[in-house]
Amino acid sequence: GNSVTQMEGPVTLSEEAFLTINCTYTATGYPSLFWYVQYPGEGLQLLLKATKADDKGSNKGFEATYRKETTSFHLEKGSVQVSDSAVYFCALIGRTGANNLFFGTGTRLTVIP
Amino acid sequence: GAGVSQSPSNKVTEKGKDVELRCDPISGHTALYWYRQSLGQGLEFLIYFQGNSAPDKSGLPSDRFSAERTGGSVSTLTIQRTQQEDSAVYLCASSPTGLAANTGELFFGEGSRLTVL
């Protein structure tokens, strides 16, 4: 079956620190992988995606690389800002033509000045 | 507004009562999804609409849950005879054509938080 396991939070970092949020997946076939972000008081929104092995998704200084050999899609940012404080969700679509996104449990990040 | 709108934002009800949750998708989006997020859990898929039909309702947890969509727009999720385990945040999302076509971008509302006492 399809599932996503992501690092438990909450995560608290100082501004300009390096961020990693781990995500591993189980899927049949070749999934597409995503990171969604939910800022306080807002709905989830797509942050970045990768649709095949070795692809790197990037947006707003965040990056994640689709690693088929380790079934991982870890989210990284070199220097976090207070405005990055949010809940981050890893997700996958299990196969071409599927109409369901499978989400992880979310990781809350708080960045302190 | 231009985004996905959900109402009510918060609902407290007594066990055994029925509740209705409403979702207004982004205008022109043909695909609409309902998810549920319980405490400490990931988002749990409930149902997917393409237009007014629901090709995938496999995530509805029991026959107390139903959903409809009219005019290819507004959707209502109804929970009958609510139980305490129904307490969760119910999220609605829409997309222009469905996930299979646009590879993953859903536009979410802020959710309806349901508390069953």
Side-chain angles (χ1 to χ4, degrees):
Chain A
N2 297 308
S3 67
V4 175
T5 302
Q6 64 180 104
M7 164 181 181
E8 297 218 2
V11 175
T12 303
L13 294 173
S14 297
E15 206 165 22
E16 299 184 4
F18 184 85
L19 168 71
T20 301
I21 300 178
N22 290 337
C23 172
T24 57
Y25 66 89
T26 302
T28 52
Y30 302 97
S32 295
L33 302 173
F34 308 88
W35 278 98
Y36 273 75
V37 59
Q38 185 173 27
Y39 298 105
E42 299 183 16
L44 276 79
Q45 57 188 270
L46 180 65
L47 178 61
L48 54 83
K49 67 182 180 185
T51 57
K52 62 182 188 296
D54 300 325
D55 270 2
K56 177 185 287 187
S58 61
N59 187 23
K60 300 183 180 180
F62 291 88
E63 293 183 339
T65 301
Y66 188 143
R67 302 287 188 198
K68 185 180 174 185
E69 62 276 11
T70 54
T71 61
S72 65
F73 193 54
H74 304 322
L75 183 68
E76 297 182 336
K77 186 173 185 181
S79 177
V80 293
Q81 304 301 311
V82 173
S83 56
D84 294 327
S85 298
V87 182
Y88 293 82
F89 294 87
C90 188
L92 68 83
I93 294 177
R95 57 174 172 79
T96 301
N99 267 299
N100 182 11
L101 265 174
F102 290 87
F103 284 87
T105 54
T107 302
R108 181 176 298 277
L109 170 66
T110 301
V111 180
I112 55 177
Chain B
V4 176
S5 177
Q6 293 188 244
S7 61
S9 55
N10 274 289
K11 175 72 176 178
V12 179
T13 191
E14 294 179 348
K15 178 182 172 182
K17 296 286 180 69
D18 297 352
V19 297
E20 284 189 354
L21 307 176
R22 176 188 167 103
C23 173
D24 273 289
I26 293 172
S27 178
H29 281 194
T30 62
L32 186 147
Y33 301 77
W34 283 98
Y35 284 84
R36 175 170 75 172
Q37 185 177 23
S38 304
L39 190 63
Q41 304 296 314
L43 276 69
E44 175 189 6
F45 168 77
L46 298 178
I47 188 169
Y48 154 62
F49 286 93
Q50 184 62 250
N52 291 335
S53 64
D56 188 350
K57 51 180 80 171
S58 62
L60 293 177
S62 75
D63 59 8
R64 296 186 296 105
F65 287 73
S66 63
E68 65 174 11
R69 188 179 186 195
T70 55
S73 181
V74 172
S75 177
T76 303
L77 177 68
T78 301
I79 309 173
Q80 296 179 308
R81 305 181 302 282
T82 52
Q83 303 295 312
Q84 289 183 331
E85 61 263 28
D86 300 334
S87 296
V89 178
Y90 290 83
L91 295 170
C92 177
S94 69
S95 72
T97 54
L99 285 171
N102 75 349
T103 61
E105 185 159 19
L106 295 184
F107 297 82
F108 281 83
E110 292 182 40
S112 293
R113 181 177 297 277
L114 174 66
T115 302
V116 182
L117 301 177

mmCIF file of all heavy atoms in Angstrom, chain A residues 55-104:
data_model
loop_
_atom_site.group_PDB
_atom_site.id
_atom_site.type_symbol
_atom_site.label_atom_id
_atom_site.label_comp_id
_atom_site.label_asym_id
_atom_site.label_seq_id
_atom_site.Cartn_x
_atom_site.Cartn_y
_atom_site.Cartn_z
ATOM 1 N N ASP A 55 14.905 13.601 -9.195
ATOM 2 C CA ASP A 55 14.417 14.979 -9.363
ATOM 3 C C ASP A 55 14.589 15.741 -8.064
ATOM 4 O O ASP A 55 14.427 15.186 -6.977
ATOM 5 C CB ASP A 55 12.928 14.983 -9.731
ATOM 6 C CG ASP A 55 12.696 14.939 -11.221
ATOM 7 O OD1 ASP A 55 13.679 14.858 -11.984
ATOM 8 O OD2 ASP A 55 11.515 14.989 -11.613
ATOM 9 N N LYS A 56 14.869 17.027 -8.185
ATOM 10 C CA LYS A 56 14.916 17.904 -7.014
ATOM 11 C C LYS A 56 13.839 18.951 -7.164
ATOM 12 O O LYS A 56 13.796 19.672 -8.164
ATOM 13 C CB LYS A 56 16.284 18.573 -6.893
ATOM 14 C CG LYS A 56 16.378 19.556 -5.724
ATOM 15 C CD LYS A 56 17.704 20.295 -5.692
ATOM 16 C CE LYS A 56 18.825 19.395 -5.238
ATOM 17 N NZ LYS A 56 20.098 20.143 -5.052
ATOM 18 N N GLY A 57 12.950 19.023 -6.176
ATOM 19 C CA GLY A 57 11.978 20.098 -6.136
ATOM 20 C C GLY A 57 12.522 21.231 -5.293
ATOM 21 O O GLY A 57 13.233 21.000 -4.311
ATOM 22 N N SER A 58 12.211 22.460 -5.678
ATOM 23 C CA SER A 58 12.701 23.595 -4.902
ATOM 24 C C SER A 58 11.731 24.762 -4.998
ATOM 25 O O SER A 58 11.054 24.949 -6.015
ATOM 26 C CB SER A 58 14.088 24.022 -5.374
ATOM 27 O OG SER A 58 14.039 24.427 -6.724
ATOM 28 N N ASN A 59 11.672 25.523 -3.894
ATOM 29 C CA ASN A 59 10.797 26.693 -3.846
ATOM 30 C C ASN A 59 11.075 27.433 -2.550
ATOM 31 O O ASN A 59 11.241 26.817 -1.490
ATOM 32 C CB ASN A 59 9.317 26.263 -3.893
ATOM 33 C CG ASN A 59 8.373 27.435 -4.012
ATOM 34 O OD1 ASN A 59 8.730 28.502 -4.471
ATOM 35 N ND2 ASN A 59 7.130 27.229 -3.603
ATOM 36 N N LYS A 60 11.136 28.736 -2.602
ATOM 37 C CA LYS A 60 11.297 29.596 -1.426
ATOM 38 C C LYS A 60 12.521 29.215 -0.596
ATOM 39 O O LYS A 60 12.512 29.361 0.628
ATOM 40 C CB LYS A 60 10.046 29.539 -0.539
ATOM 41 C CG LYS A 60 8.774 30.000 -1.225
ATOM 42 C CD LYS A 60 7.605 29.977 -0.268
ATOM 43 C CE LYS A 60 6.334 30.441 -0.957
ATOM 44 N NZ LYS A 60 5.170 30.432 -0.049
ATOM 45 N N GLY A 61 13.551 28.695 -1.231
ATOM 46 C CA GLY A 61 14.768 28.315 -0.522
ATOM 47 C C GLY A 61 14.735 26.908 0.031
ATOM 48 O O GLY A 61 15.735 26.411 0.543
ATOM 49 N N PHE A 62 13.592 26.240 -0.063
ATOM 50 C CA PHE A 62 13.454 24.851 0.354
ATOM 51 C C PHE A 62 13.804 23.919 -0.815
ATOM 52 O O PHE A 62 13.535 24.248 -1.967
ATOM 53 C CB PHE A 62 12.029 24.550 0.812
ATOM 54 C CG PHE A 62 11.632 25.202 2.097
ATOM 55 C CD1 PHE A 62 11.092 26.486 2.103
ATOM 56 C CD2 PHE A 62 11.786 24.543 3.305
ATOM 57 C CE1 PHE A 62 10.724 27.092 3.292
ATOM 58 C CE2 PHE A 62 11.411 25.146 4.495
ATOM 59 C CZ PHE A 62 10.891 26.420 4.492
ATOM 60 N N GLU A 63 14.369 22.764 -0.473
ATOM 61 C CA GLU A 63 14.677 21.756 -1.487
ATOM 62 C C GLU A 63 14.346 20.373 -0.955
ATOM 63 O O GLU A 63 14.414 20.139 0.256
ATOM 64 C CB GLU A 63 16.176 21.777 -1.835
ATOM 65 C CG GLU A 63 16.656 23.011 -2.532
ATOM 66 C CD GLU A 63 18.127 22.902 -2.896
ATOM 67 O OE1 GLU A 63 18.837 22.080 -2.284
ATOM 68 O OE2 GLU A 63 18.550 23.649 -3.796
ATOM 69 N N ALA A 64 14.023 19.463 -1.884
ATOM 70 C CA ALA A 64 13.868 18.058 -1.520
ATOM 71 C C ALA A 64 14.214 17.233 -2.746
ATOM 72 O O ALA A 64 13.798 17.575 -3.862
ATOM 73 C CB ALA A 64 12.445 17.762 -1.049
ATOM 74 N N THR A 65 14.963 16.151 -2.558
ATOM 75 C CA THR A 65 15.384 15.293 -3.665
ATOM 76 C C THR A 65 14.729 13.933 -3.536
ATOM 77 O O THR A 65 14.753 13.314 -2.474
ATOM 78 C CB THR A 65 16.913 15.142 -3.680
ATOM 79 O OG1 THR A 65 17.508 16.434 -3.812
ATOM 80 C CG2 THR A 65 17.347 14.267 -4.852
ATOM 81 N N TYR A 66 14.152 13.475 -4.612
ATOM 82 C CA TYR A 66 13.456 12.182 -4.697
ATOM 83 C C TYR A 66 14.522 11.092 -4.744
ATOM 84 O O TYR A 66 15.219 10.922 -5.742
ATOM 85 C CB TYR A 66 12.638 12.193 -5.977
ATOM 86 C CG TYR A 66 11.678 11.053 -6.224
ATOM 87 C CD1 TYR A 66 10.469 11.311 -6.836
ATOM 88 C CD2 TYR A 66 11.981 9.744 -5.923
ATOM 89 C CE1 TYR A 66 9.573 10.303 -7.135
ATOM 90 C CE2 TYR A 66 11.097 8.731 -6.211
ATOM 91 C CZ TYR A 66 9.902 9.007 -6.828
ATOM 92 O OH TYR A 66 9.026 8.005 -7.128
ATOM 93 N N ARG A 67 14.660 10.341 -3.661
ATOM 94 C CA ARG A 67 15.658 9.273 -3.565
ATOM 95 C C ARG A 67 14.961 7.932 -3.584
ATOM 96 O O ARG A 67 14.404 7.483 -2.582
ATOM 97 C CB ARG A 67 16.472 9.410 -2.272
ATOM 98 C CG ARG A 67 17.200 10.719 -2.104
ATOM 99 C CD ARG A 67 18.392 10.813 -3.009
ATOM 100 N NE ARG A 67 19.209 12.001 -2.695
ATOM 101 C CZ ARG A 67 20.096 12.506 -3.529
ATOM 102 N NH1 ARG A 67 20.278 11.962 -4.733
ATOM 103 N NH2 ARG A 67 20.813 13.560 -3.170
ATOM 104 N N LYS A 68 14.995 7.291 -4.739
ATOM 105 C CA LYS A 68 14.309 6.012 -4.874
ATOM 106 C C LYS A 68 15.006 4.918 -4.058
ATOM 107 O O LYS A 68 14.367 4.051 -3.465
ATOM 108 C CB LYS A 68 14.259 5.616 -6.352
ATOM 109 C CG LYS A 68 13.468 4.364 -6.647
ATOM 110 C CD LYS A 68 13.480 4.073 -8.135
ATOM 111 C CE LYS A 68 12.815 2.737 -8.431
ATOM 112 N NZ LYS A 68 12.943 2.394 -9.873
ATOM 113 N N GLU A 69 16.346 4.980 -3.996
ATOM 114 C CA GLU A 69 17.088 3.907 -3.329
ATOM 115 C C GLU A 69 16.838 3.876 -1.827
ATOM 116 O O GLU A 69 16.904 2.823 -1.200
ATOM 117 C CB GLU A 69 18.585 4.032 -3.628
ATOM 118 C CG GLU A 69 19.248 5.302 -3.133
ATOM 119 C CD GLU A 69 19.100 6.486 -4.080
ATOM 120 O OE1 GLU A 69 18.309 6.405 -5.043
ATOM 121 O OE2 GLU A 69 19.757 7.512 -3.826
ATOM 122 N N THR A 70 16.532 5.044 -1.259
ATOM 123 C CA THR A 70 16.248 5.105 0.176
ATOM 124 C C THR A 70 14.780 5.412 0.443
ATOM 125 O O THR A 70 14.383 5.592 1.603
ATOM 126 C CB THR A 70 17.114 6.182 0.862
ATOM 127 O OG1 THR A 70 16.929 7.435 0.184
ATOM 128 C CG2 THR A 70 18.586 5.785 0.836
ATOM 129 N N THR A 71 13.977 5.454 -0.595
ATOM 130 C CA THR A 71 12.549 5.825 -0.530
ATOM 131 C C THR A 71 12.345 7.033 0.390
ATOM 132 O O THR A 71 11.558 6.995 1.344
ATOM 133 C CB THR A 71 11.658 4.643 -0.083
ATOM 134 O OG1 THR A 71 12.025 4.206 1.231
ATOM 135 C CG2 THR A 71 11.761 3.501 -1.061
ATOM 136 N N SER A 72 13.065 8.096 0.077
ATOM 137 C CA SER A 72 13.014 9.284 0.925
ATOM 138 C C SER A 72 12.811 10.545 0.102
ATOM 139 O O SER A 72 13.094 10.576 -1.110
ATOM 140 C CB SER A 72 14.290 9.394 1.754
ATOM 141 O OG SER A 72 15.417 9.614 0.918
ATOM 142 N N PHE A 73 12.330 11.582 0.799
ATOM 143 C CA PHE A 73 12.104 12.889 0.171
ATOM 144 C C PHE A 73 12.244 13.936 1.276
ATOM 145 O O PHE A 73 11.312 14.632 1.626
ATOM 146 C CB PHE A 73 10.716 12.913 -0.472
ATOM 147 C CG PHE A 73 10.461 14.064 -1.407
ATOM 148 C CD1 PHE A 73 11.300 14.333 -2.469
ATOM 149 C CD2 PHE A 73 9.338 14.865 -1.240
ATOM 150 C CE1 PHE A 73 11.055 15.381 -3.345
ATOM 151 C CE2 PHE A 73 9.072 15.919 -2.108
ATOM 152 C CZ PHE A 73 9.927 16.173 -3.159
ATOM 153 N N HIS A 74 13.435 14.048 1.820
ATOM 154 C CA HIS A 74 13.680 14.918 2.964
ATOM 155 C C HIS A 74 13.659 16.391 2.546
ATOM 156 O O HIS A 74 14.252 16.768 1.523
ATOM 157 C CB HIS A 74 15.032 14.603 3.597
ATOM 158 C CG HIS A 74 15.192 13.170 4.011
ATOM 159 N ND1 HIS A 74 14.167 12.435 4.562
ATOM 160 C CD2 HIS A 74 16.279 12.350 3.957
ATOM 161 C CE1 HIS A 74 14.611 11.217 4.824
ATOM 162 N NE2 HIS A 74 15.879 11.136 4.465
ATOM 163 N N LEU A 75 13.033 17.208 3.374
ATOM 164 C CA LEU A 75 12.938 18.648 3.115
ATOM 165 C C LEU A 75 14.100 19.364 3.797
ATOM 166 O O LEU A 75 14.368 19.102 4.982
ATOM 167 C CB LEU A 75 11.611 19.193 3.639
ATOM 168 C CG LEU A 75 11.328 20.670 3.384
ATOM 169 C CD1 LEU A 75 11.117 20.934 1.901
ATOM 170 C CD2 LEU A 75 10.100 21.120 4.186
ATOM 171 N N GLU A 76 14.757 20.266 3.086
ATOM 172 C CA GLU A 76 15.898 20.993 3.636
ATOM 173 C C GLU A 76 15.815 22.468 3.292
ATOM 174 O O GLU A 76 15.274 22.850 2.248
ATOM 175 C CB GLU A 76 17.216 20.428 3.089
ATOM 176 C CG GLU A 76 17.490 18.991 3.470
ATOM 177 C CD GLU A 76 18.823 18.490 2.940
ATOM 178 O OE1 GLU A 76 19.302 19.047 1.941
ATOM 179 O OE2 GLU A 76 19.376 17.554 3.535
ATOM 180 N N LYS A 77 16.362 23.275 4.204
ATOM 181 C CA LYS A 77 16.556 24.695 3.924
ATOM 182 C C LYS A 77 17.810 25.139 4.651
ATOM 183 O O LYS A 77 17.992 24.818 5.833
ATOM 184 C CB LYS A 77 15.361 25.539 4.357
ATOM 185 C CG LYS A 77 15.498 26.999 3.923
ATOM 186 C CD LYS A 77 14.243 27.812 4.191
ATOM 187 C CE LYS A 77 14.411 29.224 3.625
ATOM 188 N NZ LYS A 77 13.244 30.093 3.859
ATOM 189 N N GLY A 78 18.626 25.879 3.976
ATOM 190 C CA GLY A 78 19.933 26.229 4.528
ATOM 191 C C GLY A 78 19.878 27.250 5.652
ATOM 192 O O GLY A 78 20.726 27.241 6.548
ATOM 193 N N SER A 79 18.891 28.137 5.628
ATOM 194 C CA SER A 79 18.847 29.222 6.601
ATOM 195 C C SER A 79 17.385 29.619 6.804
ATOM 196 O O SER A 79 16.812 30.322 5.967
ATOM 197 C CB SER A 79 19.663 30.411 6.099
ATOM 198 O OG SER A 79 19.574 31.505 6.991
ATOM 199 N N VAL A 80 16.808 29.140 7.901
ATOM 200 C CA VAL A 80 15.371 29.374 8.096
ATOM 201 C C VAL A 80 15.124 30.771 8.647
ATOM 202 O O VAL A 80 15.988 31.379 9.284
ATOM 203 C CB VAL A 80 14.758 28.318 9.041
ATOM 204 C CG1 VAL A 80 14.786 26.949 8.382
ATOM 205 C CG2 VAL A 80 15.455 28.304 10.397
ATOM 206 N N GLN A 81 13.921 31.248 8.381
ATOM 207 C CA GLN A 81 13.488 32.555 8.864
ATOM 208 C C GLN A 81 12.263 32.377 9.753
ATOM 209 O O GLN A 81 11.573 31.348 9.687
ATOM 210 C CB GLN A 81 13.142 33.458 7.681
ATOM 211 C CG GLN A 81 14.276 33.607 6.678
ATOM 212 C CD GLN A 81 15.521 34.186 7.304
ATOM 213 O OE1 GLN A 81 15.443 35.209 7.994
ATOM 214 N NE2 GLN A 81 16.673 33.554 7.083
ATOM 215 N N VAL A 82 11.986 33.382 10.535
ATOM 216 C CA VAL A 82 10.796 33.320 11.402
ATOM 217 C C VAL A 82 9.541 33.061 10.581
ATOM 218 O O VAL A 82 8.645 32.311 11.001
ATOM 219 C CB VAL A 82 10.662 34.624 12.212
ATOM 220 C CG1 VAL A 82 9.345 34.649 12.970
ATOM 221 C CG2 VAL A 82 11.831 34.767 13.182
ATOM 222 N N SER A 83 9.490 33.605 9.389
ATOM 223 C CA SER A 83 8.321 33.452 8.522
ATOM 224 C C SER A 83 8.146 32.021 7.998
ATOM 225 O O SER A 83 7.108 31.713 7.402
ATOM 226 C CB SER A 83 8.413 34.409 7.333
ATOM 227 O OG SER A 83 9.612 34.194 6.624
ATOM 228 N N ASP A 84 9.120 31.166 8.213
ATOM 229 C CA ASP A 84 8.999 29.748 7.817
ATOM 230 C C ASP A 84 8.257 28.923 8.858
ATOM 231 O O ASP A 84 7.992 27.727 8.632
ATOM 232 C CB ASP A 84 10.389 29.136 7.590
ATOM 233 C CG ASP A 84 11.119 29.746 6.408
ATOM 234 O OD1 ASP A 84 10.443 30.131 5.431
ATOM 235 O OD2 ASP A 84 12.358 29.854 6.480
ATOM 236 N N SER A 85 7.927 29.514 9.975
ATOM 237 C CA SER A 85 7.188 28.805 11.017
ATOM 238 C C SER A 85 5.839 28.356 10.460
ATOM 239 O O SER A 85 5.040 29.179 9.996
ATOM 240 C CB SER A 85 6.975 29.706 12.233
ATOM 241 O OG SER A 85 8.210 30.078 12.812
ATOM 242 N N ALA A 86 5.609 27.055 10.482
ATOM 243 C CA ALA A 86 4.427 26.478 9.833
ATOM 244 C C ALA A 86 4.414 24.990 10.121
ATOM 245 O O ALA A 86 5.316 24.452 10.773
ATOM 246 C CB ALA A 86 4.479 26.709 8.321
ATOM 247 N N VAL A 87 3.383 24.312 9.597
ATOM 248 C CA VAL A 87 3.346 22.847 9.646
ATOM 249 C C VAL A 87 3.626 22.333 8.246
ATOM 250 O O VAL A 87 3.017 22.801 7.271
ATOM 251 C CB VAL A 87 1.985 22.329 10.148
ATOM 252 C CG1 VAL A 87 2.004 20.808 10.234
ATOM 253 C CG2 VAL A 87 1.651 22.928 11.511
ATOM 254 N N TYR A 88 4.533 21.395 8.129
ATOM 255 C CA TYR A 88 4.981 20.865 6.840
ATOM 256 C C TYR A 88 4.503 19.416 6.698
ATOM 257 O O TYR A 88 4.686 18.591 7.588
ATOM 258 C CB TYR A 88 6.505 20.949 6.723
ATOM 259 C CG TYR A 88 6.986 22.384 6.656
ATOM 260 C CD1 TYR A 88 7.148 23.124 7.824
ATOM 261 C CD2 TYR A 88 7.224 23.005 5.436
ATOM 262 C CE1 TYR A 88 7.547 24.453 7.777
ATOM 263 C CE2 TYR A 88 7.621 24.327 5.380
ATOM 264 C CZ TYR A 88 7.776 25.047 6.548
ATOM 265 O OH TYR A 88 8.161 26.371 6.491
ATOM 266 N N PHE A 89 3.898 19.125 5.541
ATOM 267 C CA PHE A 89 3.337 17.801 5.269
ATOM 268 C C PHE A 89 4.015 17.193 4.045
ATOM 269 O O PHE A 89 4.031 17.816 2.975
ATOM 270 C CB PHE A 89 1.839 17.881 4.975
ATOM 271 C CG PHE A 89 0.996 18.312 6.138
ATOM 272 C CD1 PHE A 89 0.771 19.658 6.398
ATOM 273 C CD2 PHE A 89 0.404 17.368 6.965
ATOM 274 C CE1 PHE A 89 -0.017 20.064 7.462
ATOM 275 C CE2 PHE A 89 -0.388 17.762 8.032
ATOM 276 C CZ PHE A 89 -0.597 19.102 8.279
ATOM 277 N N CYS A 90 4.503 16.003 4.189
ATOM 278 C CA CYS A 90 5.003 15.226 3.060
ATOM 279 C C CYS A 90 3.833 14.420 2.481
ATOM 280 O O CYS A 90 2.958 13.963 3.232
ATOM 281 C CB CYS A 90 6.109 14.295 3.554
ATOM 282 S SG CYS A 90 6.991 13.417 2.269
ATOM 283 N N ALA A 91 3.801 14.253 1.162
ATOM 284 C CA ALA A 91 2.665 13.559 0.546
ATOM 285 C C ALA A 91 3.096 12.859 -0.734
ATOM 286 O O ALA A 91 4.129 13.192 -1.317
ATOM 287 C CB ALA A 91 1.542 14.565 0.244
ATOM 288 N N LEU A 92 2.301 11.896 -1.175
ATOM 289 C CA LEU A 92 2.574 11.221 -2.432
ATOM 290 C C LEU A 92 1.287 10.887 -3.168
ATOM 291 O O LEU A 92 0.218 10.725 -2.563
ATOM 292 C CB LEU A 92 3.405 9.945 -2.204
ATOM 293 C CG LEU A 92 2.805 8.740 -1.481
ATOM 294 C CD1 LEU A 92 1.970 7.855 -2.407
ATOM 295 C CD2 LEU A 92 3.909 7.873 -0.883
ATOM 296 N N ILE A 93 1.407 10.813 -4.475
ATOM 297 C CA ILE A 93 0.390 10.193 -5.320
ATOM 298 C C ILE A 93 0.970 8.852 -5.731
ATOM 299 O O ILE A 93 2.080 8.783 -6.257
ATOM 300 C CB ILE A 93 0.081 11.037 -6.568
ATOM 301 C CG1 ILE A 93 -0.571 12.346 -6.189
ATOM 302 C CG2 ILE A 93 -0.832 10.258 -7.510
ATOM 303 C CD1 ILE A 93 -0.829 13.235 -7.377
ATOM 304 N N GLY A 94 0.188 7.792 -5.519
ATOM 305 C CA GLY A 94 0.749 6.453 -5.643
ATOM 306 C C GLY A 94 1.066 6.009 -7.053
ATOM 307 O O GLY A 94 1.967 5.239 -7.273
ATOM 308 N N ARG A 95 0.340 6.445 -8.024
ATOM 309 C CA ARG A 95 0.583 5.970 -9.372
ATOM 310 C C ARG A 95 -0.075 6.925 -10.360
ATOM 311 O O ARG A 95 -0.968 7.672 -10.009
ATOM 312 C CB ARG A 95 -0.001 4.575 -9.561
ATOM 313 C CG ARG A 95 -1.483 4.498 -9.266
ATOM 314 C CD ARG A 95 -2.098 3.153 -9.589
ATOM 315 N NE ARG A 95 -3.471 3.064 -9.123
ATOM 316 C CZ ARG A 95 -4.509 3.597 -9.749
ATOM 317 N NH1 ARG A 95 -4.330 4.280 -10.862
ATOM 318 N NH2 ARG A 95 -5.733 3.460 -9.273
ATOM 319 N N THR A 96 0.378 6.841 -11.570
ATOM 320 C CA THR A 96 -0.211 7.664 -12.618
ATOM 321 C C THR A 96 -1.714 7.383 -12.714
ATOM 322 O O THR A 96 -2.134 6.235 -12.733
ATOM 323 C CB THR A 96 0.441 7.355 -13.973
ATOM 324 O OG1 THR A 96 1.831 7.615 -13.877
ATOM 325 C CG2 THR A 96 -0.156 8.228 -15.071
ATOM 326 N N GLY A 97 -2.488 8.409 -12.740
ATOM 327 C CA GLY A 97 -3.929 8.245 -12.845
ATOM 328 C C GLY A 97 -4.631 8.198 -11.507
ATOM 329 O O GLY A 97 -5.857 8.258 -11.448
ATOM 330 N N ALA A 98 -3.866 8.097 -10.419
ATOM 331 C CA ALA A 98 -4.498 8.068 -9.104
ATOM 332 C C ALA A 98 -5.046 9.444 -8.777
ATOM 333 O O ALA A 98 -4.544 10.462 -9.231
ATOM 334 C CB ALA A 98 -3.496 7.638 -8.055
ATOM 335 N N ASN A 99 -6.091 9.459 -7.979
ATOM 336 C CA ASN A 99 -6.691 10.737 -7.611
ATOM 337 C C ASN A 99 -6.712 10.950 -6.120
ATOM 338 O O ASN A 99 -7.604 11.604 -5.603
ATOM 339 C CB ASN A 99 -8.101 10.845 -8.187
ATOM 340 C CG ASN A 99 -8.084 11.536 -9.527
ATOM 341 O OD1 ASN A 99 -7.683 12.680 -9.629
ATOM 342 N ND2 ASN A 99 -8.484 10.816 -10.550
ATOM 343 N N ASN A 100 -5.732 10.410 -5.432
ATOM 344 C CA ASN A 100 -5.687 10.560 -3.990
ATOM 345 C C ASN A 100 -4.274 10.867 -3.552
ATOM 346 O O ASN A 100 -3.344 10.139 -3.875
ATOM 347 C CB ASN A 100 -6.185 9.275 -3.322
ATOM 348 C CG ASN A 100 -6.208 9.385 -1.820
ATOM 349 O OD1 ASN A 100 -6.053 10.473 -1.271
ATOM 350 N ND2 ASN A 100 -6.385 8.270 -1.148
ATOM 351 N N LEU A 101 -4.113 11.946 -2.814
ATOM 352 C CA LEU A 101 -2.849 12.277 -2.189
ATOM 353 C C LEU A 101 -2.791 11.626 -0.817
ATOM 354 O O LEU A 101 -3.712 11.789 -0.017
ATOM 355 C CB LEU A 101 -2.731 13.793 -2.002
ATOM 356 C CG LEU A 101 -2.010 14.619 -3.057
ATOM 357 C CD1 LEU A 101 -2.146 16.095 -2.738
ATOM 358 C CD2 LEU A 101 -0.548 14.257 -3.130
ATOM 359 N N PHE A 102 -1.713 10.881 -0.542
ATOM 360 C CA PHE A 102 -1.483 10.302 0.781
ATOM 361 C C PHE A 102 -0.551 11.233 1.545
ATOM 362 O O PHE A 102 0.537 11.552 1.063
ATOM 363 C CB PHE A 102 -0.858 8.919 0.671
ATOM 364 C CG PHE A 102 -1.788 7.885 0.128
ATOM 365 C CD1 PHE A 102 -1.914 7.693 -1.234
ATOM 366 C CD2 PHE A 102 -2.553 7.101 0.983
ATOM 367 C CE1 PHE A 102 -2.778 6.737 -1.750
ATOM 368 C CE2 PHE A 102 -3.421 6.146 0.476
ATOM 369 C CZ PHE A 102 -3.536 5.958 -0.890
ATOM 370 N N PHE A 103 -0.966 11.640 2.737
ATOM 371 C CA PHE A 103 -0.206 12.616 3.517
ATOM 372 C C PHE A 103 0.433 11.970 4.745
ATOM 373 O O PHE A 103 -0.111 11.019 5.323
ATOM 374 C CB PHE A 103 -1.128 13.731 4.021
ATOM 375 C CG PHE A 103 -1.529 14.726 2.976
ATOM 376 C CD1 PHE A 103 -2.633 14.508 2.184
ATOM 377 C CD2 PHE A 103 -0.800 15.892 2.800
ATOM 378 C CE1 PHE A 103 -3.017 15.436 1.227
ATOM 379 C CE2 PHE A 103 -1.175 16.828 1.847
ATOM 380 C CZ PHE A 103 -2.283 16.596 1.062
ATOM 381 N N GLY A 104 1.560 12.542 5.159
ATOM 382 C CA GLY A 104 2.132 12.236 6.458
ATOM 383 C C GLY A 104 1.399 13.005 7.543
ATOM 384 O O GLY A 104 0.442 13.742 7.280
#
